[in-house]
Amino acid sequence: MAKDLSLTGVERFFDDNEIIVSKTDLKGRMTYVNDVFLRLADYTEQECLGEPHSKIRNPNMPRCIFKLLWDVIQDGRELFAYVVNRSANGDHYWVLAHVTPSKDTQGNVIGYHSNRRVPDRNILEETIMPLYTQLLAEEQKYPNSKDGMAASMAMVTGLLKESGKEYDEFIAGLI
């Protein structure tokens, strides 16, 4: 039975002492999800394992941030990012994600691991939400999604150049 993919406008929350954990293979297919993930995403473990992590992608999340995330982790580096996810019923929840490559004993990347914590509400409302609204609006100006993502990525690149910081430094300066 297919889940409704519309948005409800209802925000879900989790406790400061909880951590959402998921692991994926190199293609982004989920190989592990914890109970907090399942509760917020409103899926069962069987509905998640083997599925793309993008299953919980909220359409209000700028695609350029995910491109940035993938570029960084595929380069073997870790990344912190603010992300809004979508629950199966269309609710949403904000997280501060810490995504890292998982490596085998020889140092080869074999997948990715993400821990998500409750984000600082002031940072969300004062910086992240307005930025993401601008990025998403830029992406939506273009009929071709690749062109839209390139335009929003140029906005992020310009913001970082103007700040004189790399993305991780920019996010760390907000925390």
Side-chain angles (χ1 to χ4, degrees), residues 126-146:
E126 294 173 14
T127 305
I128 299 301
M129 289 176 174
L131 173 62
Y132 285 10
T133 297
Q134 291 174 349
L135 294 172
L136 192 61
E138 184 66 21
E139 288 179 3
Q140 293 172 343
K141 287 180 185 177
Y142 297 82
N144 179 306
S145 62
K146 286 184 181 181

Side-chain angles (χ1 to χ4, degrees), residues 34-131:
N34 74 346
D35 290 343
V36 183
F37 177 102
L38 295 172
R39 186 181 80 240
L40 286 163
D42 200 24
Y43 285 107
T44 66
E45 185 177 55
Q46 294 77 20
E47 291 173 307
C48 291
L49 298 183
E51 291 290 313
H53 207 284
S54 60
K55 181 177 192 123
I56 61 167
R57 184 186 182 283
N58 188 307
N60 291 330
M61 182 68 197
R63 293 179 68 228
C64 67
I65 301 299
F66 286 123
K67 179 181 180 348
L68 179 67
L69 182 145
W70 276 103
D71 289 350
V72 169
I73 63 174
Q74 287 179 329
D75 191 40
R77 297 176 288 141
E78 66 183 342
L79 181 84
F80 285 90
Y82 289 87
V83 177
V84 61
N85 291 316
R86 180 181 37 104
S87 301
N89 74 339
D91 291 353
H92 67 279
Y93 56 99
W94 282 95
V95 300
L96 174 58
H98 178 216
V99 186
T100 60
S102 299
K103 298 179 181 181
D104 64 16
T105 55
Q106 286 78 40
N108 300 308
V109 175
I110 57 171
Y112 304 101
H113 180 112
S114 179
N115 291 323
R116 273 96 69 208
R117 297 186 180 276
V118 173
D120 181 297
R121 198 73 202 178
N122 290 330
I123 293 170
L124 274 181
E125 292 176 1
E126 294 173 14
T127 305
I128 299 301
M129 289 176 174
L131 173 62

